Amino acid sequence: MAGDQEEIEGLIALMARLPGLGPRSARRAVLQLIKKRGQLLMPLADAMRHVAETARECLRCGNVGTADICSICLSEKRGTGELCVVEDVADLWAMERAGVFKGRYHVLGGVLSALDAVGPEELRIPRLAERVRDEGIREVILALNATVDGQTTAHYIADQLEDMGVAITSLAQGVPVGGELDYLDDGTIGAALRARKAL
């Protein structure tokens, strides 16, 4: 690669580090950005610079925005007494896209993992207990992924909040809407059977 393309190769290498992009996809993306410099590359560079300077985590829940306290935490309408606990910000945003939850959130920042040396101190679990105590929370909804680490984290949180007089629930697990049994894994079928309900 010629020396005059080192900066472009550097950009490709950085893009390739993003989730879902490998070297080939990053190369195609960068070439497209260069081709449409005025419509894509310059506005993208400006937006990224602005976000790099202004983005921050909400001091209360861990959401990402441009203010110290996010709009969800500030909204009086969201003060329902329900607190939905999620693993990361992407999960919070997925819940918001669905538009079905009207309470507030608490982002843990990961899950407990002995293999990765992630204990309760590395997550926002102590802050969760403070919020339950200080914000009049009546129900904590554990919306964690149905993985071994996710379920371990859910049980740990349930134990920590056990004596706080708060209802602790979790999302139902099982067959998705439109799902066909033949295409589901054994764990999903088992979870669906255990979570069955009367018609």
Side-chain angles (χ1 to χ4, degrees):
M1 189 63 62
D4 62 346
Q5 292 179 318
E6 284 181 16
E7 290 184 358
I8 295 172
E9 283 299 312
L11 178 57
I12 292 168
L14 284 171
M15 294 278 286
R17 292 167 60 181
L18 294 172
L21 286 182
R24 285 185 184 178
S25 297
R27 186 173 306 283
R28 283 194 301 271
V30 168
L31 289 173
Q32 185 68 14
L33 287 169
I34 292 170
K35 188 186 291 185
K36 299 197 175 203
R37 187 173 314 197
Q39 300 99 327
L40 289 175
L41 184 58
M42 298 307 286
L44 178 63
D46 290 341
M48 291 180 80
R49 185 176 301 107
H50 181 70
V51 169
E53 293 168 357
T54 61
R56 65 194 71 202
E57 287 185 353
C58 174
L59 298 175
R60 192 172 295 164
C61 75
N63 191 9
V64 174
T66 57
D68 287 336
I69 304 295
C70 73
S71 59
I72 294 173
C73 287
L74 289 175
S75 171
E76 294 292 328
K77 293 179 182 175
R78 303 302 288 256
T80 62
E82 297 176 328
L83 191 64
C84 183
V85 178
V86 294
E87 183 176 329
D88 59 37
V89 174
D91 298 329
L92 185 158
W93 290 358
M95 294 285 289
E96 282 297 285
R97 274 195 316 272
V100 293
F101 180 67
K102 302 301 180 194
R104 293 185 175 141
Y105 295 93
H106 187 81
V107 179
L108 292 177
V111 289
L112 297 172
S113 173
L115 288 176
D116 298 323
V118 177
E121 303 76 28
E122 284 75 42
L123 304 176
R124 292 188 186 91
I125 294 175
R127 178 74 180 114
L128 172 61
E130 290 174 17
R131 291 188 69 193
V132 168
R133 191 172 43 250
D134 298 343
E135 296 180 24
I137 302 299
R138 295 186 308 275
E139 180 183 5
V140 172
I141 302 163
L142 300 175
L144 303 177
N145 293 323
T147 61
V148 172
D149 289 342
Q151 296 309 298
T152 299
T153 305
H155 289 296
Y156 179 84
I157 290 171
D159 289 344
Q160 296 300 302
L161 302 180
E162 187 175 16
D163 299 327
M164 298 187 80
V166 62
I168 301 169
T169 59
S170 65
L171 296 183
Q173 299 169 358
V175 180
V177 174
E180 298 179 31
L181 289 179
D182 189 36
Y183 294 102
L184 300 177
D185 63 273
D186 297 344
T188 300
I189 293 173
L193 187 61
R194 288 190 297 276
R196 64 189 183 275
K197 59 183 180 175
L199 290 175

